[in-house]
């Protein structure tokens, strides 16, 4: 009975109609991207309404940092999927578990590292210098530093 439950839990993507299987597999990714886009849109509208163009510029810079982190994590996840698929095909369950654990640890470590870097440099002269290079007006700098600290 336990073996039957495990087989039902792990869907075999190599069997059945291709279109339906692809849609069902990609649906969570599409919903995730849609929610991220909606969040960014609402964030832009709210900040634009209450904080003006200076706040909107800060959100734009913060969004670039978040996009970099997101793409970095997606890149590692895609690379890991290749290894997981190869080990799953070779029926090497221990290696699959090892790759999943390594990917999870690596993603958390990178996220924490980027977070620490943002906290260290938020509000420092390095942040101010980079903002001046981007030709951002002076009174916008303080708001951006606090936005980077939040991220």
């Amino acid at each position: 009975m336990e073996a039957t439950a495990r087989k039902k839990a792990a869907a075999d993507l190599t069997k059945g109609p291709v279109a339906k299987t692809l849609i069902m597999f990609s649906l969570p990714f599409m919903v995730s991207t849609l929610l991220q886009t909606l969040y960014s849109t609402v964030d832009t509208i709210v900040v634009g309404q209450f904080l003006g163009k200076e706040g909107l510029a800060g959100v734009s810079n913060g969004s670039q940092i978040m996009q970099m982190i997101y793409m970095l994590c997606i890149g590692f996840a895609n690379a890991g999927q290749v290894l997981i698929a190869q080990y799953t095909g070779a029926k090497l369950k221990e290696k699959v578990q090892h790759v999943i654990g390594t990917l999870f640890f690596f993603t958390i470590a990178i996220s924490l590292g980027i977070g620490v870097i943002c906290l260290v440099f938020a509000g420092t002269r390095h942040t101010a210098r980079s903002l001046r290079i981007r030709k951002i007006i002076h009174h916008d700098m303080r708001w951006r530093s606090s936005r980077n600290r939040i991220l």
Side-chain angles (χ1 to χ4, degrees):
M1 173 135 173
E2 190 176 322
T4 307
R6 283 187 191 166
K7 284 185 180 180
K8 286 183 181 179
D12 188 356
L13 299 175
T14 61
K15 296 188 171 110
V18 176
K20 181 182 176 189
T21 304
L22 275 175
I23 289 171
M24 293 307 290
F25 181 73
S26 64
L27 198 59
F29 297 110
M30 291 188 292
V31 169
S32 172
T33 303
L34 177 67
L35 289 175
Q36 176 120 11
T37 303
L38 286 174
Y39 174 80
S40 295
T41 303
V42 170
D43 196 25
T44 301
I45 292 169
V46 169
V47 169
Q49 291 272 327
F50 293 104
L51 298 177
K53 61 184 177 184
E54 293 85 12
L56 202 53
V59 168
S60 175
N61 272 354
S63 296
Q64 291 173 7
I65 293 170
M66 292 302 295
Q67 187 70 17
M68 180 187 71
I69 294 169
Y70 182 70
M71 288 298 132
L72 191 63
C73 291
I74 292 293
F76 282 114
N78 286 341
Q81 288 174 2
V82 171
L83 288 174
I84 291 169
Q86 289 175 344
Y87 292 146
T88 300
K91 307 225 186 295
L92 299 171
K93 187 176 180 178
E94 303 83 34
K95 288 197 175 200
V96 169
Q97 292 172 345
H98 179 71
V99 169
I100 291 172
T102 303
L103 284 172
F104 181 75
F105 174 77
F106 201 63
T107 302
I108 295 294
I110 287 175
S111 298
L112 289 174
I114 291 173
V116 167
I117 289 169
C118 287
L119 284 174
V120 167
F121 288 109
T124 65
R125 62 186 175 150
H126 300 291
T127 303
R129 186 179 322 144
S130 71
L131 292 174
R132 268 190 241 113
I133 290 170
R134 293 181 186 193
K135 297 179 182 175
I136 303 299
I137 55 179
H138 179 70
H139 68 279
D140 187 32
M141 289 183 184
R142 189 172 54 208
W143 196 92
R144 287 172 192 257
S145 295
S146 64
R147 173 72 178 177
N148 287 343
R149 221 178 249 131
I150 290 170
L151 290 175

